[in-house]
Amino acid sequence: MANEEKAPETEATEQAQQAEQAVAEEVTAEEQAALETDPLAEEAEPELQSVAELMSQLEVAQAEAAALKDQMLRGQAEIQNIRRRAEQDVEKAHKFGVEKFATEMLAIADNLERAIEAAGDDEAVKPMREGVEMTLNMFVSGLAKFNVEQVNPEGEPFNPELHQAMSMVPAEGVEANTVVAVMQKGYTLNGRLVRPAMVMVAKG
């Protein structure tokens, strides 16, 4: 009889133990799942991805900004070069715009000089020679107002940048490479040679 009365208690105890075991197993499974899927880790991973993406975007933006800056600097340099070339062209136009006109005028000066040489010392044509000389001087002075300067290097050392040697001649008492005669005067415009002086040079 005693055994029959304890049977229900034993059964209840077994059920309680089974329930406790089931709860323990459920808790263990939840802990295991929690360990496998850590919410902080899941939250941290997207944040790390977001930072990496931002850094990548920042690098791309910095590279684009550097390229645009370089392009801007190149553009500014090109504009400055264009402006400088334009200023130089304007300056050259002002300085050498009359070069062709001056070149044409040189023939007049040459003819006036030939007329003076042809007159010589003849007293009969002295008044005419003096008039031609006056005209030549006025003409040369007029050219000088436009920075057209005469090159008359007689007695000076030969300068290949301004003179053209027609011949080498022996000359006593004169240093070698000295201009002993000017066959045709030269001219410069603002320091630039328009026509070299045709000269004879002392032989060494």
Side-chain angles (χ1 to χ4, degrees), residues 113 149-156 163 179 181-182 184-187 197 199:
E113 288 181 350
E149 301 291 341
Q150 194 177 74
V151 179
N152 185 16
E154 186 171 352
E156 299 177 2
H163 314 151
V179 176
V182 178
Q184 185 181 65
K185 295 180 178 66
Y187 289 87
V199 300

Side-chain angles (χ1 to χ4, degrees), residues 88-200:
Q88 290 174 350
D89 290 341
V90 171
E91 183 180 359
K92 287 180 180 178
H94 287 160
K95 283 186 175 181
F96 307 112
V98 297
E99 182 174 3
K100 186 175 181 180
F101 173 77
T103 302
E104 293 296 326
M105 294 297 100
L106 299 186
I108 298 175
D110 293 340
N111 288 331
L112 291 173
E113 288 181 350
R114 291 191 188 101
I116 294 171
E117 290 176 1
D121 296 329
D122 191 346
E123 291 295 326
V125 295
K126 183 177 179 181
M128 183 183 69
R129 186 183 66 245
E130 290 177 349
V132 174
E133 288 176 347
M134 185 179 297
T135 302
L136 176 61
N137 291 334
M138 291 177 62
F139 186 78
V140 172
S141 297
L143 291 176
K145 291 179 180 179
F146 294 92
N147 298 317
V148 179
E149 301 291 341
Q150 194 177 74
V151 179
N152 185 16
E154 186 171 352
E156 299 177 2
F158 176 75
N159 183 353
E161 294 182 358
L162 297 175
H163 314 151
Q164 183 175 342
M166 303 298 293
S167 62
M168 302 284 290
V169 295
E172 295 181 0
V174 179
E175 293 184 5
N177 295 323
T178 298
V179 176
V180 294
V182 178
M183 312 304 294
Q184 185 181 65
K185 295 180 178 66
Y187 289 87
T188 61
L189 173 61
N190 286 305
R192 187 167 76 180
L193 186 65
V194 175
R195 188 183 75 182
M198 303 298 181
V199 300
M200 297 179 69

